[in-house]
Amino acid sequence: MFTTYEEAMNWIHATRTFGEKPGLKRMEWMLGKLGHPERKFKSIHIAGTNGKGSTLAFLRNMLEANGQVVGTFTSPYIEMFNERVSVSGEPLSDDEILRLAKTVYPLTEDLKKTNLGGPSEFEIITMMMLIYFGEGHADVVLVEVGIGGLYDSTNVIHPVVSVITTIGMDHMNLLGETLSEIAMNKAGIIKTAVPVVTGKIGKEALEVIEQKATEQESAVMKYNKDFFVTKWQTLPTWGEQFVFEDDFMRLSPIQIEMLGRHQVENAAVAIETLRVYSHETGLAVNHEKIRSGLKNTFWPGRLEKINDQPLLILDGAHNEHAINTLVETIKKNFAQQEVSIIMASMRDKDIQGMVDQLQSIPNCRLILTSFNYPRAAGIDELNKLMLKNGTVIEHWQEALVESLNEMDENGIVVVTGSLYFISEVREYVKVANKE
Protein backbone atom coordinates (compact mmCIF):
# COMPACT_ATOMS: atom_id res chain seq x y z
CA MET A 1 0.00 0.00 0.00
CA PHE A 2 1.19 3.53 -0.76
CA THR A 3 1.46 6.36 1.77
CA THR A 4 1.94 9.51 -0.36
CA TYR A 5 0.00 11.27 -3.12
CA GLU A 6 2.89 10.67 -5.55
CA GLU A 7 2.85 6.92 -4.83
CA ALA A 8 -0.92 6.86 -5.33
CA MET A 9 -0.51 8.61 -8.71
CA ASN A 10 2.17 6.12 -9.75
CA TRP A 11 -0.15 3.23 -8.86
CA ILE A 12 -3.11 4.71 -10.78
CA HIS A 13 -1.07 5.52 -13.91
CA ALA A 14 0.69 2.14 -13.90
CA THR A 15 -2.66 0.40 -14.42
CA ARG A 16 -3.84 -0.69 -17.87
CA THR A 17 -5.66 1.95 -19.91
CA PHE A 18 -8.54 -0.40 -20.67
CA GLY A 19 -10.05 -3.35 -18.84
CA GLU A 20 -9.34 -6.90 -19.99
CA LYS A 21 -12.93 -7.28 -21.18
CA PRO A 22 -15.34 -4.46 -22.03
CA GLY A 23 -18.30 -4.18 -19.71
CA LEU A 24 -19.38 -2.96 -16.32
CA LYS A 25 -18.99 -6.17 -14.30
CA ARG A 26 -15.77 -5.03 -12.58
CA MET A 27 -17.37 -1.71 -11.62
CA GLU A 28 -20.52 -3.42 -10.34
CA TRP A 29 -18.46 -5.91 -8.33
CA MET A 30 -16.48 -3.13 -6.60
CA LEU A 31 -19.56 -0.95 -6.02
CA GLY A 32 -21.41 -3.93 -4.50
CA LYS A 33 -18.58 -4.33 -1.97
CA LEU A 34 -19.00 -0.67 -0.93
CA GLY A 35 -22.78 -0.59 -0.60
CA HIS A 36 -23.39 1.17 -3.95
CA PRO A 37 -22.22 4.77 -3.40
CA GLU A 38 -23.34 5.60 -6.97
CA ARG A 39 -26.98 5.41 -5.82
CA LYS A 40 -26.52 8.07 -3.14
CA PHE A 41 -26.34 11.28 -5.20
CA LYS A 42 -28.20 13.06 -8.00
CA SER A 43 -26.36 13.20 -11.32
CA ILE A 44 -26.49 14.32 -14.95
CA HIS A 45 -24.68 12.02 -17.40
CA ILE A 46 -23.03 13.63 -20.46
CA ALA A 47 -21.85 11.68 -23.53
CA GLY A 48 -20.90 12.82 -27.05
CA THR A 49 -18.03 12.91 -29.52
CA ASN A 50 -17.32 16.59 -28.85
CA GLY A 51 -18.82 19.31 -26.67
CA LYS A 52 -19.07 17.31 -23.43
CA GLY A 53 -16.69 19.50 -21.45
CA SER A 54 -18.14 22.82 -22.58
CA THR A 55 -21.73 21.65 -22.04
CA LEU A 56 -20.75 20.49 -18.55
CA ALA A 57 -19.10 23.86 -17.83
CA PHE A 58 -22.21 25.81 -18.90
CA LEU A 59 -24.39 23.52 -16.77
CA ARG A 60 -22.15 23.83 -13.74
CA ASN A 61 -22.15 27.61 -13.84
CA MET A 62 -25.93 27.84 -14.26
CA LEU A 63 -26.57 25.40 -11.41
CA GLU A 64 -24.12 27.21 -9.13
CA ALA A 65 -25.70 30.58 -9.99
CA ASN A 66 -28.96 29.00 -8.81
CA GLY A 67 -27.48 28.05 -5.44
CA GLN A 68 -26.41 24.45 -6.04
CA VAL A 69 -23.15 22.85 -4.89
CA VAL A 70 -22.00 21.11 -8.07
CA GLY A 71 -19.57 18.21 -8.36
CA THR A 72 -17.93 17.39 -11.69
CA PHE A 73 -16.10 14.43 -13.19
CA THR A 74 -14.18 15.30 -16.35
CA SER A 75 -11.32 14.06 -18.52
CA PRO A 76 -8.66 14.63 -19.55
CA TYR A 77 -7.30 17.25 -17.21
CA ILE A 78 -5.68 20.47 -18.49
CA GLU A 79 -3.37 21.48 -15.63
CA MET A 80 -3.48 18.82 -12.90
CA PHE A 81 -4.87 15.32 -12.34
CA ASN A 82 -7.00 16.43 -9.36
CA GLU A 83 -9.21 18.53 -11.69
CA ARG A 84 -10.92 15.35 -12.80
CA VAL A 85 -12.96 15.33 -9.58
CA SER A 86 -13.99 18.84 -8.55
CA VAL A 87 -16.54 20.58 -6.32
CA SER A 88 -17.63 24.14 -7.17
CA GLY A 89 -14.76 24.25 -9.67
CA GLU A 90 -12.16 23.38 -7.01
CA PRO A 91 -10.14 20.20 -7.66
CA LEU A 92 -9.88 17.69 -4.81
CA SER A 93 -6.86 18.09 -2.55
CA ASP A 94 -3.90 15.72 -2.75
CA ASP A 95 -4.92 14.34 0.64
CA GLU A 96 -8.43 13.49 -0.62
CA ILE A 97 -7.04 11.82 -3.74
CA LEU A 98 -4.69 9.77 -1.53
CA ARG A 99 -7.54 8.79 0.82
CA LEU A 100 -9.78 7.69 -2.06
CA ALA A 101 -6.97 5.75 -3.77
CA LYS A 102 -6.32 3.93 -0.48
CA THR A 103 -10.01 3.00 -0.31
CA VAL A 104 -10.04 1.61 -3.85
CA TYR A 105 -6.67 -0.20 -3.70
CA PRO A 106 -7.73 -3.24 -1.60
CA LEU A 107 -10.82 -3.67 -3.80
CA THR A 108 -8.65 -3.85 -6.91
CA GLU A 109 -6.40 -6.43 -5.28
CA ASP A 110 -9.44 -8.59 -4.41
CA LEU A 111 -10.87 -8.06 -7.91
CA LYS A 112 -7.67 -9.40 -9.50
CA LYS A 113 -8.32 -12.72 -7.73
CA THR A 114 -11.67 -13.14 -9.49
CA ASN A 115 -12.26 -14.24 -13.09
CA LEU A 116 -13.14 -10.61 -13.92
CA GLY A 117 -9.49 -9.54 -13.78
CA GLY A 118 -8.06 -6.26 -12.48
CA PRO A 119 -9.60 -2.86 -13.25
CA SER A 120 -8.41 -0.26 -15.75
CA GLU A 121 -6.98 3.13 -14.83
CA PHE A 122 -10.26 4.85 -15.75
CA GLU A 123 -12.27 2.37 -13.65
CA ILE A 124 -10.10 3.17 -10.62
CA ILE A 125 -10.55 6.93 -11.09
CA THR A 126 -14.31 6.51 -11.65
CA MET A 127 -14.55 4.45 -8.44
CA MET A 128 -12.75 7.18 -6.51
CA MET A 129 -15.23 9.74 -7.84
CA LEU A 130 -18.28 7.61 -7.01
CA ILE A 131 -17.04 6.96 -3.48
CA TYR A 132 -16.38 10.67 -2.92
CA PHE A 133 -19.74 11.91 -4.16
CA GLY A 134 -21.51 9.02 -2.42
CA GLU A 135 -20.33 10.67 0.81
CA GLY A 136 -22.56 13.67 0.07
CA HIS A 137 -20.18 16.45 -1.01
CA ALA A 138 -22.46 17.94 -3.71
CA ASP A 139 -26.14 18.62 -4.47
CA VAL A 140 -25.71 17.32 -8.02
CA VAL A 141 -22.82 15.71 -9.91
CA LEU A 142 -22.12 16.28 -13.62
CA VAL A 143 -20.49 13.11 -14.94
CA GLU A 144 -18.68 13.18 -18.27
CA VAL A 145 -18.39 9.87 -20.12
CA GLY A 146 -14.80 8.75 -20.79
CA ILE A 147 -15.24 7.00 -24.16
CA GLY A 148 -18.50 5.94 -25.80
CA GLY A 149 -21.19 5.23 -23.25
CA LEU A 150 -22.49 1.67 -23.17
CA TYR A 151 -19.37 0.08 -21.66
CA ASP A 152 -17.92 3.25 -20.12
CA SER A 153 -17.22 2.82 -16.41
CA THR A 154 -19.38 5.88 -15.61
CA ASN A 155 -22.43 4.03 -16.97
CA VAL A 156 -23.20 2.55 -13.54
CA ILE A 157 -24.94 5.77 -12.43
CA HIS A 158 -28.69 6.34 -12.71
CA PRO A 159 -28.91 10.03 -13.65
CA VAL A 160 -31.80 12.48 -13.47
CA VAL A 161 -31.09 13.48 -17.10
CA SER A 162 -28.89 11.98 -19.83
CA VAL A 163 -27.21 14.19 -22.45
CA ILE A 164 -25.72 13.30 -25.84
CA THR A 165 -24.02 16.38 -27.32
CA THR A 166 -22.73 15.36 -30.76
CA ILE A 167 -21.95 12.23 -32.78
CA GLY A 168 -18.86 12.10 -35.03
CA MET A 169 -16.21 9.67 -36.19
CA ASP A 170 -13.78 9.09 -33.32
CA HIS A 171 -12.41 6.10 -31.38
CA MET A 172 -13.64 3.85 -34.21
CA ASN A 173 -11.40 1.01 -32.98
CA LEU A 174 -13.53 0.91 -29.81
CA LEU A 175 -16.95 2.24 -30.82
CA GLY A 176 -17.57 1.10 -34.40
CA GLU A 177 -16.85 2.12 -37.98
CA THR A 178 -20.12 3.94 -38.77
CA LEU A 179 -22.04 6.84 -37.25
CA SER A 180 -24.88 4.42 -36.45
CA GLU A 181 -22.57 2.11 -34.50
CA ILE A 182 -21.00 5.03 -32.62
CA ALA A 183 -24.47 6.44 -31.86
CA MET A 184 -25.59 3.02 -30.58
CA ASN A 185 -22.65 2.96 -28.18
CA LYS A 186 -23.26 6.49 -26.90
CA ALA A 187 -27.01 5.81 -26.61
CA GLY A 188 -26.01 3.08 -24.16
CA ILE A 189 -26.21 5.71 -21.41
CA ILE A 190 -30.00 6.03 -21.87
CA LYS A 191 -31.76 4.55 -18.84
CA THR A 192 -35.40 3.50 -18.47
CA ALA A 193 -37.71 6.53 -18.16
CA VAL A 194 -34.77 8.95 -17.78
CA PRO A 195 -35.19 11.95 -20.14
CA VAL A 196 -32.52 12.59 -22.78
CA VAL A 197 -31.34 15.89 -24.27
CA THR A 198 -29.55 15.76 -27.64
CA GLY A 199 -27.40 18.37 -29.38
CA LYS A 200 -26.84 18.96 -33.09
CA ILE A 201 -26.83 15.37 -34.34
CA GLY A 202 -27.27 14.15 -37.93
CA LYS A 203 -30.31 12.15 -39.06
CA GLU A 204 -28.60 8.72 -39.21
CA ALA A 205 -27.21 8.91 -35.67
CA LEU A 206 -30.31 10.61 -34.23
CA GLU A 207 -32.57 7.80 -35.46
CA VAL A 208 -30.47 5.30 -33.49
CA ILE A 209 -30.73 7.44 -30.33
CA GLU A 210 -34.50 7.89 -30.77
CA GLN A 211 -34.96 4.15 -31.24
CA LYS A 212 -33.03 3.41 -28.05
CA ALA A 213 -35.01 6.07 -26.15
CA THR A 214 -38.30 4.54 -27.37
CA GLU A 215 -37.19 1.10 -26.13
CA GLN A 216 -36.35 2.64 -22.74
CA GLU A 217 -39.54 4.74 -22.62
CA SER A 218 -37.39 7.87 -22.28
CA ALA A 219 -38.51 11.28 -23.55
CA VAL A 220 -36.05 12.96 -25.97
CA MET A 221 -35.57 16.73 -26.23
CA LYS A 222 -33.82 17.47 -29.53
CA TYR A 223 -31.87 20.56 -30.60
CA ASN A 224 -33.66 22.41 -33.43
CA LYS A 225 -36.87 20.45 -32.84
CA ASP A 226 -37.78 20.84 -29.16
CA PHE A 227 -35.49 23.74 -28.31
CA PHE A 228 -34.04 26.42 -30.56
CA VAL A 229 -31.42 29.13 -30.99
CA THR A 230 -32.33 32.31 -32.90
CA LYS A 231 -30.78 35.74 -33.51
CA TRP A 232 -27.25 34.37 -33.16
CA GLN A 233 -24.44 36.85 -33.68
CA THR A 234 -20.74 36.98 -32.83
CA LEU A 235 -19.84 39.84 -30.51
CA PRO A 236 -17.11 42.34 -31.43
CA THR A 237 -15.43 41.48 -28.13
CA TRP A 238 -14.90 37.71 -27.66
CA GLY A 239 -18.02 35.59 -27.57
CA GLU A 240 -21.53 35.06 -28.90
CA GLN A 241 -25.05 36.37 -28.37
CA PHE A 242 -28.31 34.53 -29.06
CA VAL A 243 -31.89 33.86 -27.99
CA PHE A 244 -32.91 30.48 -26.51
CA GLU A 245 -36.43 29.14 -26.80
CA ASP A 246 -38.38 25.99 -26.02
CA ASP A 247 -42.06 25.34 -25.18
CA PHE A 248 -41.50 26.44 -21.57
CA MET A 249 -39.27 29.52 -21.67
CA ARG A 250 -37.56 32.17 -23.77
CA LEU A 251 -34.22 33.67 -22.72
CA SER A 252 -33.17 36.87 -24.53
CA PRO A 253 -30.49 37.95 -25.07
CA ILE A 254 -27.96 35.42 -23.83
CA GLN A 255 -24.26 36.26 -23.98
CA ILE A 256 -21.43 33.75 -23.67
CA GLU A 257 -17.74 34.52 -23.60
CA MET A 258 -16.74 31.38 -25.50
CA LEU A 259 -16.29 31.73 -29.25
CA GLY A 260 -17.97 29.73 -32.01
CA ARG A 261 -21.35 28.52 -33.22
CA HIS A 262 -20.66 25.15 -31.58
CA GLN A 263 -20.49 26.87 -28.18
CA VAL A 264 -23.90 28.43 -28.80
CA GLU A 265 -25.20 24.90 -29.49
CA ASN A 266 -23.47 23.53 -26.37
CA ALA A 267 -24.97 26.34 -24.28
CA ALA A 268 -28.44 25.60 -25.68
CA VAL A 269 -28.08 21.91 -24.79
CA ALA A 270 -27.00 22.91 -21.28
CA ILE A 271 -29.99 25.26 -20.84
CA GLU A 272 -32.46 22.58 -21.96
CA THR A 273 -30.77 20.05 -19.67
CA LEU A 274 -31.10 22.44 -16.74
CA ARG A 275 -34.78 23.00 -17.61
CA VAL A 276 -35.43 19.24 -17.63
CA TYR A 277 -33.39 18.69 -14.45
CA SER A 278 -35.29 21.43 -12.60
CA HIS A 279 -38.60 19.94 -13.76
CA GLU A 280 -37.59 16.44 -12.60
CA THR A 281 -36.21 17.55 -9.21
CA GLY A 282 -38.37 20.57 -8.36
CA LEU A 283 -35.33 22.87 -8.30
CA ALA A 284 -36.46 26.49 -8.71
CA VAL A 285 -34.31 28.31 -11.29
CA ASN A 286 -34.12 32.02 -11.96
CA HIS A 287 -33.82 33.19 -15.59
CA GLU A 288 -31.51 36.07 -14.69
CA LYS A 289 -29.21 33.67 -12.81
CA ILE A 290 -29.22 31.29 -15.79
CA ARG A 291 -28.01 34.17 -17.97
CA SER A 292 -25.29 35.25 -15.51
CA GLY A 293 -24.13 31.63 -15.14
CA LEU A 294 -23.74 31.30 -18.90
CA LYS A 295 -21.90 34.62 -19.22
CA ASN A 296 -19.43 33.60 -16.51
CA THR A 297 -18.61 30.22 -18.07
CA PHE A 298 -15.03 29.51 -19.05
CA TRP A 299 -13.60 26.15 -20.10
CA PRO A 300 -9.84 25.96 -20.73
CA GLY A 301 -8.52 24.82 -24.08
CA ARG A 302 -11.66 25.57 -26.08
CA LEU A 303 -10.74 28.44 -28.42
CA GLU A 304 -8.97 29.87 -25.40
CA LYS A 305 -7.21 33.18 -26.00
CA ILE A 306 -3.96 33.31 -24.03
CA ASN A 307 -2.16 36.17 -25.79
CA ASP A 308 -3.39 39.26 -27.63
CA GLN A 309 -0.78 40.56 -30.07
CA PRO A 310 -0.32 38.36 -31.94
CA LEU A 311 -3.43 36.45 -30.96
CA LEU A 312 -2.52 33.02 -29.52
CA ILE A 313 -5.42 30.56 -29.28
CA LEU A 314 -5.44 27.06 -27.80
CA ASP A 315 -8.12 24.66 -28.99
CA GLY A 316 -8.38 21.01 -28.00
CA ALA A 317 -9.94 19.82 -31.31
CA HIS A 318 -8.68 16.23 -31.52
CA ASN A 319 -10.73 14.54 -34.26
CA GLU A 320 -12.17 15.39 -37.70
CA HIS A 321 -15.53 16.47 -36.28
CA ALA A 322 -13.93 18.98 -33.89
CA ILE A 323 -11.36 20.19 -36.45
CA ASN A 324 -14.23 20.89 -38.87
CA THR A 325 -15.84 23.07 -36.18
CA LEU A 326 -12.53 24.88 -35.58
CA VAL A 327 -12.08 25.51 -39.33
CA GLU A 328 -15.62 26.95 -39.61
CA THR A 329 -14.97 29.29 -36.66
CA ILE A 330 -11.63 30.51 -38.07
CA LYS A 331 -13.14 31.10 -41.54
CA LYS A 332 -16.04 33.07 -40.05
CA ASN A 333 -14.14 35.18 -37.52
CA PHE A 334 -10.63 35.56 -38.93
CA ALA A 335 -11.10 35.47 -42.71
CA GLN A 336 -8.96 38.58 -43.28
CA GLN A 337 -6.03 37.61 -41.09
CA GLU A 338 -2.89 35.54 -41.52
CA VAL A 339 -3.26 32.29 -39.59
CA SER A 340 -0.53 29.95 -38.40
CA ILE A 341 -1.73 26.58 -37.08
CA ILE A 342 0.48 24.30 -35.00
CA MET A 343 -0.93 20.79 -34.68
CA ALA A 344 0.17 17.68 -32.79
CA SER A 345 -2.11 14.67 -32.65
CA MET A 346 -2.50 11.12 -31.42
CA ARG A 347 -1.38 8.48 -33.91
CA ASP A 348 -4.75 6.67 -33.83
CA LYS A 349 -6.57 9.69 -35.34
CA ASP A 350 -7.20 10.37 -39.03
CA ILE A 351 -4.44 12.97 -39.13
CA GLN A 352 -4.53 13.32 -42.93
CA GLY A 353 -8.26 14.07 -42.74
CA MET A 354 -7.61 16.70 -40.07
CA VAL A 355 -4.75 18.20 -42.14
CA ASP A 356 -6.93 18.39 -45.28
CA GLN A 357 -9.57 20.38 -43.42
CA LEU A 358 -7.05 22.79 -41.88
CA GLN A 359 -5.44 23.36 -45.28
CA SER A 360 -8.79 24.62 -46.61
CA ILE A 361 -8.37 27.81 -44.50
CA PRO A 362 -7.23 30.75 -46.66
CA ASN A 363 -4.04 32.59 -45.63
CA CYS A 364 -3.07 29.61 -43.49
CA ARG A 365 0.32 28.09 -42.77
CA LEU A 366 0.18 24.67 -41.11
CA ILE A 367 2.97 23.31 -38.91
CA LEU A 368 2.82 19.66 -37.83
CA THR A 369 4.82 18.70 -34.77
CA SER A 370 5.00 16.13 -31.98
CA PHE A 371 5.20 16.18 -28.19
CA ASN A 372 6.29 13.95 -25.36
CA TYR A 373 3.36 11.56 -24.99
CA PRO A 374 3.28 7.79 -25.63
CA ARG A 375 0.34 7.90 -28.08
CA ALA A 376 1.48 11.03 -29.95
CA ALA A 377 2.17 10.70 -33.67
CA GLY A 378 5.93 10.94 -34.25
CA ILE A 379 7.87 12.99 -36.78
CA ASP A 380 8.40 10.00 -39.12
CA GLU A 381 4.63 9.46 -39.34
CA LEU A 382 3.99 13.17 -39.93
CA ASN A 383 6.56 13.33 -42.73
CA LYS A 384 4.51 10.78 -44.72
CA LEU A 385 1.44 13.05 -44.84
CA MET A 386 0.40 15.16 -47.84
CA LEU A 387 1.03 18.82 -47.03
CA LYS A 388 0.11 21.55 -49.55
CA ASN A 389 1.15 24.62 -47.61
CA GLY A 390 2.76 23.32 -44.49
CA THR A 391 5.85 21.99 -42.83
CA VAL A 392 6.92 19.52 -40.14
CA ILE A 393 8.97 20.83 -37.21
CA GLU A 394 10.28 18.31 -34.69
CA HIS A 395 10.08 20.43 -31.54
CA TRP A 396 6.80 22.22 -30.90
CA GLN A 397 8.53 24.90 -28.75
CA GLU A 398 10.56 25.90 -31.80
CA ALA A 399 7.41 25.95 -33.95
CA LEU A 400 5.60 28.16 -31.43
CA VAL A 401 8.42 30.70 -31.04
CA GLU A 402 8.93 30.86 -34.81
CA SER A 403 5.20 31.38 -35.49
CA LEU A 404 4.80 34.10 -32.84
CA ASN A 405 7.92 35.94 -34.08
CA GLU A 406 6.83 35.85 -37.73
CA MET A 407 3.30 37.14 -37.08
CA ASP A 408 2.44 40.83 -37.15
CA GLU A 409 0.08 42.16 -34.48
CA ASN A 410 -3.00 41.25 -36.55
CA GLY A 411 -1.93 37.66 -37.10
CA ILE A 412 -3.23 34.58 -35.30
CA VAL A 413 -1.46 31.49 -34.02
CA VAL A 414 -3.70 28.51 -33.24
CA VAL A 415 -2.39 25.48 -31.33
CA THR A 416 -4.57 22.37 -31.72
CA GLY A 417 -4.81 18.61 -32.33
CA SER A 418 -4.98 17.16 -28.81
CA LEU A 419 -6.10 18.21 -25.33
CA TYR A 420 -2.94 16.61 -23.96
CA PHE A 421 -0.84 18.70 -26.35
CA ILE A 422 -2.50 22.03 -25.59
CA SER A 423 -2.23 21.26 -21.87
CA GLU A 424 1.57 21.05 -22.31
CA VAL A 425 1.67 24.24 -24.40
CA ARG A 426 -0.55 26.08 -21.91
CA GLU A 427 1.82 25.27 -19.04
CA TYR A 428 4.86 26.36 -21.12
CA VAL A 429 3.26 29.71 -22.04
CA LYS A 430 2.20 30.38 -18.43
CA VAL A 431 5.77 29.79 -17.19
CA ALA A 432 7.21 31.94 -20.03
CA ASN A 433 4.82 34.80 -19.24
CA LYS A 434 5.85 34.76 -15.57
CA GLU A 435 9.48 35.13 -16.57
Side-chain angles (χ1 to χ4, degrees):
M1 176 75 87
F2 34 81
T3 54
T4 67
Y5 170 82
E6 288 71 25
E7 288 168 351
M9 285 290 96
N10 290 338
W11 168 65
I12 291 167
H13 295 322
T15 318
R16 288 186 324 279
T17 306
F18 300 109
E20 288 172 17
K21 306 183 191 90
L24 301 175
K25 287 194 166 61
R26 287 178 299 277
M27 288 297 297
E28 286 161 355
W29 187 93
M30 289 189 285
L31 290 165
K33 296 285 182 187
L34 291 174
H36 291 283
E38 82 284 5
R39 297 175 186 171
K40 295 174 182 170
F41 57 88
K42 291 195 201 77
S43 62
I44 296 173
H45 204 187
I46 305 170
T49 304
N50 296 302
K52 296 189 293 291
S54 298
T55 301
L56 179 146
F58 285 125
L59 252 177
R60 191 200 111 206
N61 280 275
M62 287 189 290
L63 283 159
E64 285 179 0
N66 281 283
Q68 296 292 285
V69 176
V70 185
T72 55
F73 182 58
T74 56
S75 57
Y77 59 90
I78 297 293
E79 290 184 347
M80 60 188 291
F81 173 87
N82 302 29
E83 286 168 32
R84 298 183 77 153
V85 185
S86 297
V87 179
S88 304
E90 287 297 315
L92 293 198
S93 67
D94 290 359
D95 287 347
E96 282 287 29
I97 295 287
L98 175 59
R99 176 180 72 83
L100 294 164
K102 281 180 166 179
T103 307
V104 175
Y105 178 78
L107 283 174
T108 67
E109 292 303 296
D110 290 345
L111 185 59
K112 285 177 189 172
K113 296 167 190 164
T114 72
N115 59 4
L116 296 170
S120 68
E121 177 181 359
F122 192 66
E123 284 171 332
I124 289 169
I125 300 165
T126 305
M127 278 299 302
M128 290 164 62
M129 176 272 291
L130 295 172
I131 291 165
Y132 183 76
F133 289 121
E135 295 167 350
H137 298 286
D139 298 319
V140 55
V141 185
L142 311 180
V143 178
E144 185 185 321
V145 167
I147 292 176
L150 181 61
Y151 297 124
D152 190 77
S153 60
T154 63
N155 204 25
V156 292
I157 62 171
H158 195 87
V160 176
V161 192
S162 303
V163 182
I164 303 174
T165 56
T166 57
I167 303 286
M169 302 302 276
D170 197 16
H171 299 296
M172 282 90 82
N173 57 325
L174 298 169
L175 305 181
E177 296 292 327
T178 67
L179 286 174
S180 293
E181 286 173 332
I182 292 169
M184 179 65 78
N185 200 300
K186 293 189 189 295
I189 70 165
I190 299 173
K191 308 290 193 302
T192 305
V194 173
V196 187
V197 177
T198 61
K200 187 180 177 184
I201 293 173
K203 186 169 179 284
E204 179 189 343
L206 191 57
E207 283 173 358
V208 172
I209 293 167
E210 288 178 306
Q211 176 62 38
K212 177 71 174 176
T214 301
E215 290 166 14
Q216 298 284 37
E217 299 180 342
S218 300
V220 188
M221 271 56 68
K222 300 181 283 289
Y223 176 79
N224 263 349
K225 186 167 182 198
D226 300 295
F227 60 101
F228 305 88
V229 163
T230 55
K231 300 183 179 173
W232 163 54
Q233 58 173 324
T234 299
L235 298 167
T237 49
W238 188 270
E240 311 290 348
Q241 182 174 296
F242 62 98
V243 173
F244 172 90
E245 227 169 318
D246 66 9
D247 288 343
F248 304 89
M249 64 178 176
R250 184 176 192 268
L251 294 173
S252 168
I254 292 167
Q255 288 187 9
I256 57 172
E257 297 195 353
M258 291 166 72
L259 193 65
R261 172 81 198 199
H262 60 298
Q263 295 297 9
V264 172
E265 291 158 3
N266 291 334
V269 169
I271 297 165
E272 184 67 7
T273 303
L274 176 64
R275 203 269 309 159
V276 175
Y277 178 83
S278 66
H279 174 76
E280 294 289 316
T281 60
L283 174 70
V285 292
N286 174 294
H287 287 193
E288 206 45 57
K289 287 175 177 171
I290 289 175
R291 286 221 291 267
S292 69
L294 289 165
K295 193 169 192 308
N296 292 331
T297 299
F298 164 74
W299 194 238
R302 276 65 173 186
L303 281 164
E304 178 187 2
K305 178 171 65 167
I306 58 170
N307 194 62
D308 270 313
Q309 290 183 328
L311 197 57
L312 175 58
I313 297 170
L314 304 184
D315 190 75
H318 56 281
N319 51 46
E320 278 194 90
H321 185 273
I323 288 287
N324 180 48
T325 300
L326 174 62
V327 168
E328 283 176 10
T329 306
I330 291 172
K331 285 179 176 176
K332 178 182 182 295
N333 292 287
F334 309 112
Q336 307 307 314
Q337 285 136 290
E338 291 289 328
V339 182
S340 184
I341 296 179
I342 302 168
M343 184 177 94
S345 178
M346 299 300 167
R347 65 166 59 89
D348 59 351
K349 305 292 180 181
D350 180 2
I351 303 174
Q352 185 66 60
M354 292 159 77
V355 163
D356 293 345
Q357 289 193 64
L358 291 168
Q359 291 187 140
S360 73
I361 300 170
N363 311 325
C364 175
R365 178 186 180 224
L366 178 62
I367 299 171
L368 299 184
T369 186
S370 189
F371 67 113
N372 185 22
Y373 192 77
R375 285 169 47 216
I379 296 303
D380 290 347
E381 294 157 88
L382 299 176
N383 277 322
K384 293 173 187 166
L385 297 169
M386 294 284 291
L387 281 175
K388 292 199 282 282
N389 182 27
T391 183
V392 176
I393 295 179
E394 185 170 355
H395 301 291
W396 64 261
Q397 294 90 338
E398 182 187 327
L400 182 63
V401 170
E402 184 182 304
S403 296
L404 289 171
N405 287 341
E406 283 181 2
M407 278 294 167
D408 63 27
E409 61 186 29
N410 296 316
I412 299 163
V413 178
V414 180
V415 180
T416 191
S418 155
L419 281 163
Y420 296 99
F421 175 48
I422 64 158
S423 172
E424 199 170 298
V425 176
R426 198 168 187 268
E427 185 58 31
Y428 172 84
V429 172
K430 277 177 72 176
V431 170
N433 285 344
K434 278 178 191 166
E435 292 169 357

